[in-house]
Structures are given as C-alpha cells and as structure tokens.
Amino acid sequence: MEPELLSMVPRPVCAVLLLFPITEKYETFRTEEEERIKTEGQDVKSSVYFMKQTISNACGTIGLIHAIANNKEKMNFESDSSLKKFLEDSLLMTPEERAKYLETYEAIRVTHESSAHEGQTESSSSLPSSPSSSSQPPFSPCRTKATPLCRSASLSWVKRNHVGPAKATSPSIRLRRWRPLIHHPSVGLHSVAPSLDEKVDLHFIALVNVGGHLYELDGRKPFPINHGQTSDDNFLEDAVEVCKKFMERDPEELRFNAIALSAV
C-alpha cells in the first residue's frame, strides 16, 4: 500500500475488496460506529446498491456483487449473464429483499456449487512469491480456472498484499442453502467456501465510489458507511486510507488482503 506500489495499479480503479479478520476490537468498533451513525445520521445516495448478507460464509460473493452492481456502466456483460439478470431483477428491491432473492437464485447457486467441487486450491511455482523475512510469514500464491460467474463480466483484477487463502465469515442468520466459492481467476486467488457449520473469522467488504463519495458496503451492517468525498483519480488512494484504518485497529494482525477492480 505504499504510494510507489499503488502507482503500478492500472487506472481507473472503481472498487476495492478488503479481506480482514473479525476480532474483538473490530466488533467493539463496529457496534460503536453503528450507534454513532444512527444518532448523528449520514448522507447515502439512493443510487448506492446495497444488500444484506443472510447466507452463511458468503461475504466474498456479496462483496463481488457490491463491487460490480455499483459499477455496471463500466462492465461488459455477456448477453445471457446470470449476474446481469440478478442485478436487473433486484435493482428496485430493498437490501433485505435482495438478500432473500439471492438465497433462491438458482443460477448463481449452481455456478458456485459446481466451481466448489471442481478441485482444490493449488500452489503455483510460476507466480512470484513474497520476499521472506523474520517478521513476515511467506505465502503461496494460488491458481485455478475461471468460473462461469466470473466470466459473465469482463474484469481485470490486481492483487495486493495477499496473505493466503481466505474463508468467509457467517452472518447472524445461518442458512443451509448453498456454498459459494470466492474465485478471482486473473490473479489466481482461489478460496474454497467452508461448510455452513464451520466457524471462520475473516470477512470481505467492498469499497466503491458512487457519485463522488467513498462507501463501505458490508452485508453484516445495517447500512452503507459513507467515508467522505472521493474522485475517479483519487479513489484507490482514498480506499487504501480506509483499509489502513482497519489495520491500525488491530496492529498485531497480519491477515489483511486488498484486491482492486481496475481498468484493463
């Protein structure tokens, strides 16, 4: 997340997915933040696409939907894209109705279940590994094939600060419907979804630019979080500042991963 490294990311960047650990410190902060916003209020544009998470261990899927839904005009969807149809059908729904619709949306469920059974995560010696040091553990990059869901829109993903395969958190409501797979083929990030009964402590959220404001979209929260003004030119740097705040709240944690949705 140093400026000289961020300068290597293709621009413009329209979304950032952040993976971070759910810790006691974070949960305390989250509760305090929600109470503060409920008391003081905030400005959230009606054009922000936001949905709740009601499917266990599906935060990566929700993050991808948030990232793409708030940047539809920048995407090139296939004509028969299931993801495009889902976004069109759910456009006028409430966040809760979108979550309920996803629970029963067969096309996305089947795609993810099929991908989850295709194979295992595998380390790739063809990809560069991080420099080893006494203070930072090494990691093994991963590779896998693209899923039909990811192929339904033309995307270019740039990986930063990868710390290993990740599993997604569960919301308070636990459903036994389907097991999504987090799959980012062009950077080789492959995370097989855990079982619905498995307790995990990592979570994905999306940071997006909608109407010149930077929003944090987290399906576990009751509403989007407005982090202030941004622009197409400065969005990546502004999003990184938000990511750094997550890291500063847990300075002893190393389990952070940021992925940028950027131009080809």
Side-chain angles (χ1 to χ4, degrees):
M1 294 187 174
E2 297 301 322
E4 61 270 19
L5 296 178
L6 293 179
S7 67
M8 299 169 61
V9 180
R11 308 299 175 104
V13 171
C14 59
V16 170
L17 293 181
L18 174 66
L19 176 73
F20 64 96
I22 297 293
T23 65
E24 184 176 344
K25 290 180 181 179
Y26 173 74
E27 289 295 82
T28 298
F29 168 80
R30 181 171 69 91
T31 301
E32 294 174 350
E33 179 186 54
E34 291 178 8
E35 292 302 317
R36 175 180 58 78
I37 292 176
K38 288 177 181 179
T39 300
E40 301 176 1
Q42 65 171 346
D43 177 32
V44 175
K45 295 183 179 296
S46 59
S47 55
V48 176
Y49 184 104
F50 176 69
M51 66 183 298
K52 297 284 290 181
Q53 180 186 343
T54 56
I55 300 174
S56 298
N57 297 333
C59 59
T61 298
I62 303 300
L64 284 170
I65 291 175
H66 279 148
I68 295 173
N70 287 286
N71 290 284
K72 293 196 305 295
E73 70 284 357
K74 301 181 179 73
M75 303 294 168
N76 296 313
F77 291 94
E78 294 179 354
S79 58
D80 59 347
S81 167
S82 297
L83 181 57
K84 179 182 179 182
K85 184 179 187 305
F86 174 84
L87 296 179
E88 291 174 345
D89 291 348
S90 62
L91 182 62
L92 300 180
M93 295 180 181
T94 66
E96 291 76 16
E97 289 171 340
R98 290 165 180 163
K100 197 69 177 177
Y101 185 40
L102 182 63
E103 291 175 18
T104 58
Y105 197 75
E106 190 73 2
I108 293 180
R109 181 190 67 80
V110 170
T111 296
H112 281 277
E113 284 190 347
S114 174
S115 298
H117 288 91
E118 277 186 1
Q120 302 294 321
T121 300
E122 59 182 6
S123 62
S124 170
S125 58
S126 63
L127 295 177
S129 60
S130 64
S132 59
S133 68
S134 58
S135 61
Q136 190 171 26
F139 66 87
S140 298
C142 303
R143 67 183 178 196
T144 189
K145 295 182 292 183
T147 67
L149 178 63
C150 285
R151 288 199 300 267
S152 66
S154 299
L155 310 176
S156 176
W157 294 94
V158 179
K159 183 175 67 171
R160 287 289 178 265
N161 298 338
H162 179 52
V163 296
K167 295 176 181 179
T169 54
S170 304
S172 56
I173 301 176
R174 300 185 64 81
L175 301 174
R176 297 177 181 274
R177 294 292 301 173
W178 50 281
R179 298 176 56 202
L181 176 73
I182 315 308
H183 216 131
H184 309 297
S186 32
V187 299
L189 176 58
H190 178 195
S191 178
V192 178
S195 69
L196 294 176
D197 295 321
E198 184 174 347
K199 180 177 176 58
V200 291
D201 61 353
L202 295 172
H203 187 57
F204 277 104
I205 61 170
L207 302 173
V208 299
N209 173 14
V210 179
H213 283 260
L214 195 162
Y215 292 96
E216 172 191 335
L217 304 179
D218 181 348
R220 296 176 71 235
K221 294 185 176 182
F223 36 67
I225 306 297
N226 188 336
H227 285 282
Q229 292 185 336
T230 189
S231 66
D232 289 341
D233 293 336
N234 299 324
F235 170 72
L236 179 59
E237 285 75 16
D238 294 337
V240 163
E241 290 304 311
V242 175
C243 294
K244 287 180 178 178
K245 292 179 181 178
F246 279 77
M247 298 176 181
E248 291 167 359
R249 282 191 286 269
D250 281 291
E252 297 180 358
E253 276 284 356
L254 298 176
R255 297 174 296 167
F256 293 92
N257 181 14
I259 306 173
L261 177 63
S262 71
V264 176

